[in-house]
Amino acid sequence: KQWYQRRVRAAGGLRLDKAYLAGDRLTIDFEKHACCPWETVGLDPDCKNYIPPELAARGISQSQWEEWCDDLMKNQKRSPSISGCLCLFCFPGFLLQSIILATFCPISANHPLKCLPCCYGDWHHGLDKWQRKVNKVLNPLDMHAKLKTFKPHGRAPQSLNKATRVAGKDENYEMGMLIIALNATESQKLMGEPWDNGVNDGCTSGIGRFM
């Protein structure tokens, strides 16, 4: 265990696993949306290469961690881009189009048409499936994982790349994080917390949002 903990630390003591430990929780940066449709964001590319030692100590293998990271990033290919969202809500009808979509279109819901390019339900549903799969393994070990969104970003917990991610962002930026609770007490607390920390999306277009 001590050897592995040394291996996941670079010069200067920085963690190579991209996790930030605070108390009994790990916080891992997770960027939800890319700017352009051809880009894919999510976890840091190096995240999968180094399992957090706190998980390794509980019996989670490197191969299991890599599988989880790969699955999550595969689902990220369905994530809507920021430019795509702007086009969907604002072009060509601008304000009227935005009102109609937000009021009448459940574009984030898990319905038979969720795979259409104008819908985001397949992405949200994929996040839900991923989290359930991971927690099926973590929960018996008294751990729990949850994807969470924070808005404004000042409400988000500290992470390794938080300062870089918020640079130039305004209060409308929705900051995604992967939180992992490391014991039974903290896991119960995390289970009871919502994914939504300040988004407050009450529109029809937000029905079915998982993050």
Side-chain angles (χ1 to χ4, degrees):
K1 177 182 176 181
Q2 291 179 346
W3 169 82
Y4 187 83
Q5 288 176 332
R6 289 195 298 269
R7 191 170 73 87
V8 298
R9 294 184 184 275
L14 295 176
R15 294 177 63 128
L16 297 176
D17 60 357
K18 307 304 178 181
Y20 184 90
L21 176 64
D24 296 315
R25 292 189 178 193
L26 293 174
T27 300
I28 300 174
D29 291 286
F30 183 74
E31 194 67 61
K32 299 194 300 180
H33 306 305
C35 180
C36 302
W38 55 84
E39 299 174 330
T40 300
V41 295
L43 299 172
D44 185 286
D46 286 333
C47 186
K48 74 172 187 177
N49 297 325
Y50 301 92
I51 179 175
E54 294 82 5
L55 272 61
R58 306 295 287 276
I60 305 300
S61 66
Q62 175 67 34
S63 60
Q64 176 73 87
W65 177 251
E66 289 179 9
E67 179 185 325
W68 289 346
C69 292
D70 285 340
D71 287 348
L72 185 55
M73 291 305 294
K74 286 177 183 176
N75 189 65
Q76 277 301 102
K77 295 179 180 179
R78 303 168 176 164
S79 172
S81 66
I82 295 173
S83 58
C85 290
L86 289 174
C87 288
L88 178 62
F89 276 84
C90 302
F91 186 81
F94 297 99
L95 180 60
L96 177 60
Q97 182 171 322
S98 297
I99 294 174
I100 292 174
L101 278 172
T103 306
F104 300 108
C105 301
I107 58 175
S108 300
N110 180 23
H111 51 67
L113 300 179
K114 63 180 181 292
C115 61
L116 292 177
C118 59
C119 294
Y120 311 145
D122 56 345
W123 177 62
H124 288 290
H125 182 58
L127 293 175
D128 184 18
K129 287 179 61 178
W130 180 86
Q131 187 169 292
R132 290 176 185 274
K133 175 183 176 180
V134 170
N135 283 324
K136 189 174 181 179
V137 177
L138 292 183
N139 288 169
L141 301 174
D142 291 329
M143 295 187 288
H144 188 76
K146 177 169 283 190
L147 293 160
K148 304 187 70 173
T149 298
F150 300 87
K151 180 184 178 183
H153 52 69
R155 304 179 62 171
Q158 185 59 48
S159 66
L160 289 186
N161 296 324
K162 183 177 180 180
T164 301
R165 293 177 63 195
V166 303
K169 304 291 199 312
D170 62 18
E171 297 301 294
N172 292 312
Y173 171 55
E174 296 185 5
M175 193 169 201
M177 295 287 189
L178 170 59
I179 312 293
I180 303 177
L182 299 173
N183 59 38
T185 300
E186 201 65 31
S187 292
Q188 286 298 320
K189 288 174 57 179
L190 185 58
M191 288 179 192
E193 296 173 8
W195 68 264
D196 184 347
N197 297 264
V199 178
N200 301 320
D201 188 349
C203 299
T204 300
S205 59
I207 294 174
R209 280 190 63 170
F210 190 76
M211 189 180 188

